[in-house]
Amino acid sequence: MWTLDELLDRVSAALSAEYSGAPNGRVRDVPDKRAVRWYATTGLVDRPSAMRGRTALYDRRHLLQLVAVKRLQSQGRTLADIQAELAGAADSALAAIARVPQALLDSGDAPPVQAVRPRFWAEPAAAAPPAPAPPGTAVAGEAAVLNGVALGGGTVLLVPGSPTAADRADIAAAARPLLDLLAARGLLNEREPS
């Protein structure tokens, strides 16, 4: 794997032999960084193989593609024609056009080991673990039954299970300070008595 600068050095070295240059002055003999990025954006060259932080890494195929593009441009071919010819080309076809010396194709070192980052956006979300059931509620996959206890002023308290009349009276008495606070702040339905 090479950085963009290292890749361009290899492209320059590969083109130093048997390369007549572009037939007109409008095309660079060796692509610059901007051209390589544009080639990748338009699909003329593959996108970088990997990233090391914010640094793009390129490999043997990129070298073959860039040298092949420049060799075909030196024959007067347009980028559109080159793209049509090289789209999906196998490495062997690229190598035949590019004629890159084997020494330039070898990176000289083992490719860096890339840590595989999880693709969290591509995996379905894991189900959240169920919250522990309050005492007295249904368990083992059964839905808990909630009942509402009217406290007045449009306020309803949901409780699991079925409260008795005595439970309802005790809940209403315990909720009186809360209802007074809600009424003072204007958060109760005034049409309904509290």
Side-chain angles (χ1 to χ4, degrees):
M1 299 282 221
W2 308 299
T3 64
L4 186 51
D5 288 327
E6 293 167 339
L7 174 66
L8 291 175
D9 288 344
R10 288 177 186 261
V11 170
S12 179
L15 291 173
S16 65
E18 302 179 37
Y19 180 64
S20 60
N24 60 40
R26 295 183 331 184
V27 178
R28 292 179 179 267
D29 286 342
V30 177
D32 60 5
K33 292 179 183 182
R34 185 175 174 194
V36 173
R37 290 184 189 113
W38 184 73
Y39 290 168
T41 300
T42 60
L44 191 61
V45 172
D46 294 347
R47 293 209 176 264
S49 299
M51 296 295 287
R52 186 183 311 135
R54 293 182 59 189
T55 303
L57 298 175
Y58 299 86
D59 61 21
R60 178 180 192 275
R61 181 169 174 82
H62 294 98
L63 176 60
L64 293 173
Q65 288 174 320
L66 288 170
V67 174
V69 165
K70 292 321 253 177
R71 291 211 190 272
L72 293 172
Q73 274 187 316
S74 73
Q75 297 170 5
R77 308 272 304 275
T78 66
L79 285 179
D81 292 339
I82 294 169
Q83 186 174 21
E85 181 177 340
L86 298 183
D91 286 358
S92 58
L94 291 171
I97 296 168
R99 300 183 309 275
V100 175
Q102 187 61 40
L104 292 174
L105 292 172
D106 296 330
S107 65
D109 53 79
V113 176
Q114 295 289 321
V116 178
R117 292 174 37 177
R119 297 180 56 218
F120 65 89
W121 62 90
E123 301 296 325
T137 60
V139 292
E142 295 179 23
V145 177
L146 296 177
N147 287 296
V149 177
L151 301 177
T155 306
V156 176
L157 174 68
L158 295 177
V159 295
S162 301
T164 64
D167 293 332
R168 289 178 187 276
D170 290 343
I171 291 171
R176 178 58 36 208
L178 175 61
L179 291 173
D180 292 341
L181 173 70
L182 293 174
R185 301 223 173 143
L187 299 173
L188 291 180
N189 184 350
E190 297 300 328
R191 288 186 224 136
E192 190 176 318
S194 24

